[in-house]
Amino acid sequence: MTVLVALGANLLIAAAKAVGGLLAGSPALLSEAAHSVADSLNEVFLLAALRRSRRPADSRHPFGYGKERFFWSLLAAVGIFVMGGCFSFFQGIEALRSGAEESLGGYRAGLVVLGVAFLAEGASLWRALHQAHRQGGTDGMRDPALRTVVAEDGTAVLGVVLAMAGMALHMVTGQVVWEAAASLAIGVLLMYVAHRLGREARDQLIGRAADEEQRGRIRALLEAQPEIDSVEALLTMELGLDSTLVAARIDLVPGLDSEEVEDVAVRIKRSVAHTFPDADQIFLDVTDARTARAAARGARAAESPAATGERGGA
């Protein structure tokens, strides 16, 4: 619903800004129109992400389609840069190069359009922030779709303020440089937001570990099990918004037979899954720590110059 609200607001605002920008000949207002068009396309990307990421796991994708959200969010970040940022830079440079036609009546209409856009974007931002608060504040911002909407709406509100300031200063001073500066500032703002969103989506897409606190709690839970002598390694990876892979290499206490080992592994997996509902893919690798360490030392010794006969050996 938050994405749909943002999409509807952006479509209406984009049309109003485009008409106002053409009537006034305002580069700042046209830059804001391009910004709203880019945001509208990004909402379409986010709707695709929400729909496709909910598909159940199958034989081709046994871990599910949760990372679809990260992929489409990355495309949304690229869309902000390409459509919004580049056009804003173009409008600013073009205004500096050739000047802009002044029409006082058109500029007044443009300021009215920006005022309405400020209210609409502010309402959409409030809706997104309210949903983020309902979903746990900072934890709610883990959702790439919600994070993108908040970033877009926040950027839109700030962009409208920059455009209004540029147009007002142009009207007062008669110098188009103020609007050109506003367009360039909007372009820089869009590039910065696109960079931040793209970096976050990239980290999630290539496989980011669970946060440090959750990893520590999982390790503490494993080490608290009486059958586990030591946790040799713990690997985690976010597979989706509510899906995390947990893989642990554990050394069990001596004296357990094969059936006991199997029962212990099942019980530990259930305990981890019950305590951490997002951990829906859990793998335990039972190993003998002393044997593994001895094998590792032997491998390192075999690679030394003395063992291989290379120059420099003792």
Side-chain angles (χ1 to χ4, degrees):
M1 181 57 66
T2 297
V3 176
L4 288 173
V5 169
L7 176 59
N10 284 324
L11 288 174
L12 293 174
I13 293 169
K17 288 177 180 177
V19 172
L22 292 173
L23 291 176
S26 168
L29 193 50
L30 289 174
S31 296
E32 272 300 295
H35 180 183
S36 295
V37 171
D39 285 352
S40 300
L41 181 60
N42 292 336
E43 309 304 340
V44 175
F45 285 154
L46 297 180
L47 288 174
L50 293 173
R51 179 177 176 274
R52 295 177 65 86
S53 65
R54 291 170 179 159
R55 290 181 294 171
D58 52 34
S59 58
R60 284 180 60 97
H61 298 88
F63 293 114
Y65 290 82
K67 288 191 176 184
E68 285 265 15
R69 287 202 186 198
F70 309 146
F71 170 74
W72 290 100
S73 298
L74 180 62
L75 289 186
V78 174
I80 292 175
F81 167 72
V82 175
M83 295 190 62
C86 292
F87 188 80
S88 296
F89 276 118
F90 170 78
Q91 284 293 319
I93 295 172
E94 185 68 14
L96 288 175
R97 187 179 66 84
S98 60
E101 299 180 2
E102 294 189 52
S103 171
L104 189 60
Y107 267 56
R108 286 174 176 170
L111 289 174
V112 171
V113 169
L114 286 177
V116 174
F118 180 84
L119 295 176
E121 297 286 10
S124 180
L125 176 62
W126 179 86
R127 162 80 191 192
L129 291 175
H130 178 68
Q131 181 170 341
H133 178 72
R134 270 191 328 181
Q135 294 182 197
T138 304
D139 290 339
M141 296 299 286
R142 290 178 55 246
D143 185 346
L146 182 57
R147 183 172 63 240
T148 302
V149 171
V150 170
E152 284 179 355
D153 290 341
T155 304
V157 170
L158 185 54
V160 167
V161 172
L162 290 172
M164 292 177 70
M167 291 180 67
L169 289 171
H170 185 187
M171 292 174 63
V172 172
T173 64
Q175 300 293 321
V176 72
V177 66
W178 293 108
E179 272 202 84
S183 292
L184 294 175
I186 292 170
V188 171
L189 177 64
L190 292 175
M191 288 181 61
Y192 172 75
V193 172
H195 168 70
R196 291 293 302 269
L197 290 175
R199 186 176 64 181
E200 188 74 15
R202 177 205 63 188
D203 291 344
Q204 292 177 309
L205 189 60
I206 63 178
R208 186 172 65 182
D211 62 78
E212 186 175 352
E213 179 186 359
Q214 185 174 11
R215 295 200 306 272
R217 292 170 58 199
I218 293 175
R219 178 178 286 274
L221 176 63
L222 293 174
E223 291 175 343
Q225 305 302 313
E227 297 86 359
I228 295 180
D229 192 25
S230 64
V231 179
E232 298 299 311
L234 176 63
L235 304 176
T236 62
M237 183 172 65
E238 295 180 353
L239 300 176
L241 187 60
D242 300 312
S243 177
T244 302
L245 180 146
V246 176
R249 184 175 297 114
I250 58 176
D251 181 21
L252 299 179
V253 295
L256 298 177
D257 59 34
S258 59
E259 290 187 2
E260 289 176 320
V261 169
E262 183 177 349
D263 292 339
V264 166
V266 170
R267 184 181 58 78
I268 292 175
K269 288 181 180 180
R270 287 176 178 170
S271 178
V272 173
H274 176 73
T275 307
F276 305 97
D278 290 350
D280 55 348
Q281 301 290 340
I282 305 171
F283 300 90
L284 298 179
D285 178 20
V286 179
T287 184
D288 187 334
R290 287 174 294 182
T291 302
R293 291 170 189 154
R297 287 195 298 268
R300 287 195 296 269
E303 294 174 358
S304 67
T308 57
E310 296 176 6
R311 291 186 63 183

